Amino acid sequence: MRCPFCAHDDSQVKDSRPTEDNASIRRRRQCSSCGARFTTFERVQLREVTISKSGDRREAFDRRKIEQSVSLACRKRDISQERIDQLISGIQRQVETAGENEVPSSRLGELVMDGLRQLDSVAYIRFASVYRDFSEARDFEEFASSVQEVAGSEDADDRDQGSSDS
């Protein structure tokens, strides 16, 4: 592993342990050249996935881009980092196990939207405003009202099921 401080190519692993969600391994390393210590995370990658974007552009799937987008949408919301990490890991798992080597960016965006819808309605609307390119306040109003309608009908379904259990 290359040292982030001196760019030397050799480092020793001093400590390894699984992360809290058991989705990756946290490794504490020390550079054999400068002695600096740093942390790396190792994840299982099931396959190389390419994301096809508009204009025939393609790029490798990058988990960090999803992390950045989801973190921005969830900023200042009462959502634990663990739940955010679980959402991102679930999206990554869906992409890698879909059996396709190339996934359209629109499909990836919909996976993120579906996950955020279940996680937090405000984060969902924030992400949607960028993903769907809202240009006017009316766009927010229409989308937010559709989110409220869906949430209202789900609450009614929950109440109906609760009353029939009694």
Side-chain angles (χ1 to χ4, degrees), residues 7-161:
H8 187 69
D9 284 336
D10 191 29
S11 64
Q12 296 176 331
V13 175
K14 295 295 183 182
D15 182 43
S16 291
R17 63 182 67 172
T19 57
E20 288 181 19
D21 63 356
N22 287 323
S24 61
I25 300 291
R26 178 185 182 271
R27 297 198 192 278
R28 199 66 185 132
R29 297 177 176 269
Q30 183 171 6
C31 177
S32 57
S33 177
C34 71
R37 289 187 175 222
F38 57 98
T39 302
T40 60
F41 291 89
E42 184 178 304
R43 294 185 186 279
V44 172
Q45 182 174 349
L46 299 175
R47 65 174 37 158
E48 290 287 329
V49 177
T50 302
I51 304 299
S52 58
K53 301 182 138 234
S54 61
D56 294 330
R57 292 182 306 128
R58 288 170 174 63
E59 62 182 53
F61 174 80
D62 187 353
R63 177 188 169 97
R64 288 174 297 172
K65 284 188 171 186
I66 296 173
E67 288 172 344
Q68 188 176 22
S69 296
V70 170
S71 293
L72 192 59
C74 294
R75 194 166 141 208
K76 296 187 179 181
R77 301 294 300 154
D78 189 25
I79 304 169
S80 70
Q81 187 61 45
E82 181 180 346
R83 290 186 67 203
I84 292 171
D85 290 341
Q86 287 173 345
L87 168 66
I88 295 165
S89 293
I91 292 167
Q92 182 177 9
R93 200 170 19 261
Q94 287 178 57
V95 168
E96 290 178 345
T97 59
E100 302 170 16
N101 291 331
E102 191 168 306
V103 176
S105 61
S106 58
R107 174 71 181 128
L108 185 58
E110 292 300 324
L111 288 172
V112 173
M113 294 261 298
D114 289 346
L116 285 173
R117 180 184 307 122
Q118 296 172 16
L119 188 65
D120 184 80
S121 60
V122 173
Y124 172 58
I125 292 170
R126 285 178 177 170
F127 184 84
S129 71
V130 175
Y131 177 67
R132 297 222 171 125
D133 195 24
F134 292 179
S135 58
E136 297 179 14
R138 186 174 356 144
D139 297 335
F140 280 96
E141 291 170 8
E142 290 171 3
F143 190 78
S145 67
S146 71
V147 170
Q148 287 175 336
E149 289 170 10
V150 170
S153 68
E154 288 173 355
D155 290 346
D157 290 345
D158 291 345
R159 283 191 300 272
D160 291 345
Q161 290 177 356

